[in-house]
Amino acid sequence: MSSQRGNSVKDRAPRHPNRVVYRADKHGLCKERSTALKGLEFPGVCTRCKEQLSWKVSYDKYKPLTGAPRKCVRCEGKTVTRAYYSACLPCGESLNICCKCLQLMS
């Protein structure tokens, strides 16, 4: 199985790759959600993570954080209010790291 743990060798391309960008008006889905996600900005992340998050938004794979804020891995406080972020924005700015991948910003 390709999803088996520890099996990092892939033989072929994905069976159903995303070829077309998602359009919310195609199926008459909620337009407020799609317009809110289109204007979403990603502060405190590197360019690689910004491209990943913008891809998730454009192909409708982005799931916003719901409920209470999550715990920051640096300051251990419940201050992470954005989805896919590991560190809070103040920790990212003070340590000069990306809040998603925790790598040093260049």
Side-chain angles (χ1 to χ4, degrees):
M1 286 175 47
S2 64
S3 63
Q4 185 177 11
R5 187 174 182 178
N7 186 5
S8 61
V9 179
K10 293 193 174 190
D11 306 2
R12 58 177 176 81
R15 183 171 292 177
H16 302 289
N18 293 321
R19 293 190 182 119
V20 181
V21 177
Y22 175 77
R23 286 191 354 225
D25 59 345
K26 181 178 180 181
H27 301 292
L29 298 175
C30 180
K31 291 184 181 176
E32 295 105 17
R33 180 175 168 255
S34 63
T35 55
L37 288 179
K38 290 288 183 190
L40 195 61
E41 293 183 7
F42 305 108
V45 294
C46 59
T47 55
R48 180 174 180 264
C49 294
K50 193 174 286 194
E51 289 172 0
Q52 289 176 354
L53 291 173
S54 63
W55 181 89
K56 283 182 182 281
V57 168
S58 64
Y59 283 93
D60 197 42
K61 304 289 183 184
Y62 185 85
K63 304 292 184 226
L65 185 65
T66 58
R70 295 184 310 156
K71 188 194 286 189
C72 175
V73 296
R74 296 293 179 176
C75 67
E76 302 287 325
K78 292 204 169 208
T79 54
V80 178
T81 56
R82 293 186 164 262
Y84 306 104
Y85 279 37
S86 300
C88 60
L89 290 174
C91 288
E93 290 174 359
S94 65
L95 298 171
N96 197 22
I97 59 171
C98 173
C99 293
K100 183 178 179 290
C101 66
L102 303 177
Q103 300 292 323
L104 283 174
M105 299 274 271
S106 56

